[in-house]
Amino acid sequence: MSVTEELIRACFEAWQNHDLQLIQGILAPDFTFRSPYDNDLSREEYFEKCWPHNDKIHSFKIRNLISKESEGFVRYTCKLANGHEFENAEFFTTEGNQITRIIVFFGELPAS
């Protein structure tokens, strides 16, 4: 398993297990996050805006994970604590032992 694949799996593990220490350790100081709702959030903005929603996550099922060198693409199903499920895809960029960028592509929006 490549370092990039290990980092991607660790990111999903951190979200699923509500492990702030793990996610803080794998996101680079210059980390950026983009989604249809977010335009290049900084690491600090990511923790302020996104991380508080981790308590809504029950589990992830990785459907496909493809990585090459410092890039990886993952398609997954997320099951929320309220029982709803949705599918998304994310593109990761890594450097060394940290994630430097995540771009989210919504497959479907989660039910509220």
Side-chain angles (χ1 to χ4, degrees), residues 10-65:
C11 182
F12 283 93
E13 178 185 327
W15 272 85
Q16 181 171 297
N17 296 328
H18 318 292
D19 190 338
L20 180 59
Q21 185 175 359
L22 176 58
I23 195 79
Q24 287 176 325
I26 62 174
L27 297 185
D30 61 345
F31 170 80
T32 58
F33 176 83
R34 176 176 280 205
S35 81
Y37 294 143
D38 306 293
N39 188 19
D40 289 332
L41 297 181
S42 68
R43 185 180 196 273
E44 181 179 297
E45 292 168 325
Y46 174 82
F47 282 114
E48 288 173 6
K49 184 174 182 180
C50 302
W51 185 255
H53 297 286
N54 82 77
D55 63 343
K56 296 177 184 174
I57 304 296
H58 176 267
S59 61
F60 289 100
K61 181 174 183 178
I62 294 177
R63 303 281 181 183
N64 305 93
L65 197 163

Side-chain angles (χ1 to χ4, degrees), residues 2 17 23 27 40 56 68 74 92 94 98-99 104-105:
S2 71
N17 296 328
I23 195 79
L27 297 185
D40 289 332
K56 296 177 184 174
K68 184 176 180 184
V74 62
F92 286 73
T94 64
Q98 292 190 306
I99 297 168
V104 177
F105 303 94

